[in-house]
Amino acid sequence: MLAYCAGDKSAFGELFARYAPILTRVLHRFRLSHDQVRDLVQQSFLQLHRARYDFRPDAFLRPWLMTIAFNLAREQLRRERRRPEVELESTAEHRMAHQPVEQQRVEIRRDLSRAIQQLSPEQEEVVRLHCVEELSFDEIAERVGANAGTVRVRAHRGYAALRKLLTLRNNSDDTDIDQGTGS
Amino acid sequence: MTRICDATSHQLHRGEPLSEAGLQHLAQCTLCQDIAEIVAADSPNSSEVPAQSYDVAELLQRTESVLAEERGILPWLRSRSLHLQLALAGGSGLVSVALQLALAPRSDLTIYPMPRLALLVAVHVIAFALAAKAFLHPLYRPKSARWEAVIASVAFILPVTALALVPAGAASGVVVGPLSPLFFHQAIVCLRYGALLALPTTLLLLAMRRQLAAERSHWLMVAGMGGLLGNLLLQLHCANPEPLHQLLGHATVGVVLFGCVAAFLALVRRGNRRGVN
C-alpha cells in the first residue's frame, strides 16, 4: 500500500489480487446479486485509491478496506430497501439468496473444524462455545471462569488465527501480509 | 456494544441477513469482520457463489480503466488527504468572511455589541466545522446515518433559530419592515448576495467528497453548510435587524443552495449514465 501511495502503479494490481477475492466472498454473504458485488468490489478499490493519502504507514490495510466495503454495502442495501430492484432474470444465485434462513444455517464444516483444532486450547474452547453453541461472551465467561474482557481477547485472537489458517488453505501461495508495509 | 457484537457474530455464523445496526457494527468491529471472512472462506467454491465472481483479472482491468479516468481537478481534489480537504473548506469560508469584512461590512458595526457578534461568528463556525467533518467523513471509518441527519438538521435550523434573538445594532435608515414597498426587493437582494458568496465554498465541498452524495441527508448537509456561511456573511454585511427580513433574506440561503446542489447532482448523474465514474 505504501508503494502504491508512493506512485508504484503495479502495486495496485498486487493489492487487488490479494484482497478482491476476499471482499467478493464476504460481500456475497449480504444477499447481493453478482453484479452488485462486482460493483461494490470495484467501488471499494476506487475509494481506496481516493483515500490513499489518508493511509498511515502503521495501519493495517485489511480492516481499512473491509470497513470501506461494508459501508458501501450498507448504503447499497439501504437504497434497495427504499427502492427495491426487480430482477429481470431468475438466476440460481437469486433463488439461493431468498431461501429460508433454516436452509442456509452454517454448520461447522470439516475444514473449519480441523482449523479450530489447531488453535490453542483456550482459544479453541472460546471459539467453539461462541461459534457452535452460540453463547454470548458473558455466558462464555461464566462457563470458562474468566472475565468477559479476557474471553473477547481470546475470541479475537482465535478468529484472527482461523482467518489466517483458512486464507492459507484457500491461497497456498498467499503470504497474507496484513500490515501496510510492502505493497 | 457487547450485545450487538454477540448478535452480529451469531447472525454471521448462521448466514442470516444483518440489520442496519449489525452492518454498522460490522464496519467497525474487527472481530466480526474476521468472522465474516471465515464464514465466507469456509465455502469458496460452493454452488452458493458463482465461479465467474472470481474472474479477478477481468475485474482488475475494469477497475484500472475507471482509475485511468481519475484525472483532472475534481479527482485531484477528491484524493487529497482529509486534513487538507478540511483546511481547504475552512480556508475558503475564511477568505469569504475576510473579504466581506474588508470590502462591505455592516454599516452599524461600530455600535453592534462585539460579544454578541463574536458569539454569532463562533456558533456559525463551530456548526460549519462539524458539518464539514461529517460531510467529508471517509468510508474507512465507521459512520452513523443518524448522526449525519442530526448535523444536517442543525445546519438548516441554526440560522432560523438565531432569529429568536432580540435584534441588535441597526443604524438609522436601514430598517425596512414588511409594510415597506422595498421589503421583498431588499430580501431578494440579500438572498442573492448570500447565496452567490456561499456558492463557491458549497461547490468546493461537493467537489471534494469522495463518493457521489447518494443520501438526501448529504445534500441537505452541504446546502445547510452553504446556508450557514451565507447567513454569517449576511450578518456581517446587512444591518437590517427586522426578523422577517432576516428569515426571508438570510436564513433561506440554504434553501436556495439546496436547489443548486440538486441541479448540480442531477447533471453529474446524467453524465455518469453516459460515462463511468
Side-chain angles (χ1 to χ4, degrees):
Chain A
M1 184 62 186
L2 293 179
Y4 182 58
C5 293
D8 182 0
K9 290 193 168 62
S10 64
F12 182 81
E14 203 176 317
L15 288 172
F16 197 92
R18 189 180 300 175
Y19 293 107
I22 298 169
L23 287 186
T24 307
R25 284 196 297 269
V26 170
L27 288 172
H28 266 292
R29 292 279 163 171
F30 287 94
R31 313 287 173 87
L32 295 164
S33 73
H34 167 65
D35 285 340
Q36 285 172 327
V37 168
R38 211 166 49 183
D39 284 345
L40 282 175
V41 170
Q42 188 176 301
Q43 280 178 48
S44 298
F45 280 91
L46 179 61
Q47 292 301 321
L48 177 78
H49 167 79
R50 289 176 177 172
R52 63 192 186 281
Y53 294 124
D54 286 345
F55 187 76
R56 293 190 328 268
D58 60 340
F60 289 88
L61 179 60
R62 194 186 59 84
W64 219 66
L65 194 50
M66 294 282 249
T67 303
I68 291 173
F70 289 137
N71 276 327
L72 287 171
R74 259 178 81 198
E75 287 179 8
Q76 175 70 31
L77 290 168
R78 210 182 294 149
R79 275 196 295 272
E80 282 191 355
R81 272 197 288 272
R82 280 201 294 262
R83 279 197 314 261
E85 291 177 12
V86 178
E87 287 278 341
L88 294 177
E89 296 172 33
S90 175
T91 61
E93 187 192 345
H94 179 74
R95 283 197 298 274
M96 173 68 75
H98 289 80
Q99 281 183 0
V101 167
E102 292 79 19
Q103 294 179 15
Q104 295 192 23
R105 187 179 177 85
V106 175
E107 298 178 3
I108 295 288
R109 300 175 198 275
R110 188 188 60 215
D111 285 344
L112 184 59
S113 190
R114 203 177 292 155
I116 289 177
Q117 287 170 8
Q118 294 181 46
L119 301 177
S120 71
E122 293 138 340
Q123 289 172 2
E124 183 188 344
E125 184 182 25
V126 167
V127 168
R128 277 199 193 281
L129 289 173
H130 190 249
C131 185
V132 181
E133 296 191 32
E134 294 193 10
L135 297 183
S136 69
F137 287 120
D138 287 335
E139 288 165 338
I140 295 172
E142 219 176 288
R143 180 85 73 92
V144 305
N147 66 48
T150 304
V151 164
R152 282 188 66 83
V153 169
R154 286 181 196 169
H156 193 100
R157 288 179 183 161
Y159 281 123
L162 269 183
R163 181 184 54 76
K164 282 190 182 137
L165 287 168
L166 289 170
T167 305
L168 283 171
R169 183 210 69 181
N170 291 336
N171 303 296
S172 56
D173 60 341
D174 185 3
T175 53
D176 190 30
I177 299 166
D178 271 5
Q179 268 186 299
T181 54
S183 303
Chain B
M1 172 71 174
T2 308
R3 205 170 295 162
I4 184 74
C5 192
D6 280 329
T8 305
S9 56
H10 291 150
Q11 281 177 317
L12 286 167
H13 281 306
R14 286 186 227 120
E16 288 171 3
L18 296 179
S19 62
E20 170 70 24
L23 284 169
Q24 186 179 342
H25 172 77
L26 182 61
Q28 63 195 1
C29 176
T30 51
L31 174 72
C32 290
Q33 287 174 11
D34 280 339
I35 294 173
E37 210 178 315
I38 287 164
V39 167
D42 186 36
S43 58
N45 297 314
S46 75
S47 59
E48 290 178 19
V49 180
Q52 64 266 34
S53 68
Y54 293 102
D55 191 355
V56 175
E58 185 257 337
L59 193 53
L60 172 60
Q61 207 175 358
R62 271 182 49 172
T63 308
E64 281 179 335
S65 68
V66 170
L67 290 185
E69 292 179 12
E70 288 276 299
R71 282 194 303 265
I73 184 71
L74 289 182
W76 185 86
L77 279 171
R78 279 196 294 250
S79 63
R80 294 309 92 196
S81 72
L82 181 63
H83 290 130
L84 183 56
Q85 288 183 331
L86 289 170
L88 284 171
S92 170
L94 207 61
V95 164
S96 303
V97 169
L99 282 174
Q100 174 58 57
L101 282 173
L103 299 175
R106 58 190 291 157
S107 55
D108 63 346
L109 206 56
T110 49
I111 63 167
Y112 198 93
M114 279 302 123
R116 168 127 166 205
L117 187 65
L119 180 65
L120 199 73
V121 170
V123 166
H124 277 78
V125 165
I126 290 169
F128 183 90
L130 287 174
K133 207 159 177 294
F135 185 70
L136 296 173
H137 188 93
L139 279 175
Y140 56 79
R141 287 196 196 138
K143 47 195 287 211
S144 164
R146 199 171 298 169
W147 175 237
E148 286 177 353
V150 166
I151 295 275
S153 306
V154 167
F156 257 97
I157 291 167
L158 188 65
V160 178
T161 54
L163 296 174
L165 294 172
V166 173
S172 61
V174 299
V175 181
V176 177
L179 297 178
S180 164
L182 291 176
F183 177 74
F184 283 109
H185 169 75
Q186 200 182 56
I188 288 170
V189 165
C190 276
L191 183 60
R192 201 168 51 205
Y193 183 84
L196 279 174
L197 282 188
L199 191 60
T201 303
T202 308
L203 291 177
L204 176 66
L205 283 160
L206 263 181
M208 288 193 296
R209 191 176 157 87
R210 288 172 183 159
Q211 46 171 154
L212 199 59
E215 313 266 346
R216 210 160 294 150
S217 62
H218 298 152
W219 301 21
L220 282 172
M221 214 185 308
V222 73
M225 278 190 281
L228 279 172
L229 179 61
N231 193 56
L232 177 61
L233 292 171
L234 285 166
Q235 291 293 331
L236 297 174
H237 166 73
C238 174
N240 189 347
E242 173 59 44
L244 208 53
H245 168 81
Q246 298 222 351
L247 177 67
L248 287 179
H250 297 195
T252 47
V253 168
V255 175
V256 169
L257 289 174
F258 179 77
C260 295
V261 164
F264 174 77
L265 289 172
L267 278 171
V268 170
R269 283 216 164 92
R270 198 179 298 170
N272 285 348
R273 276 193 215 110
R274 290 198 207 109
V276 173
N277 187 8

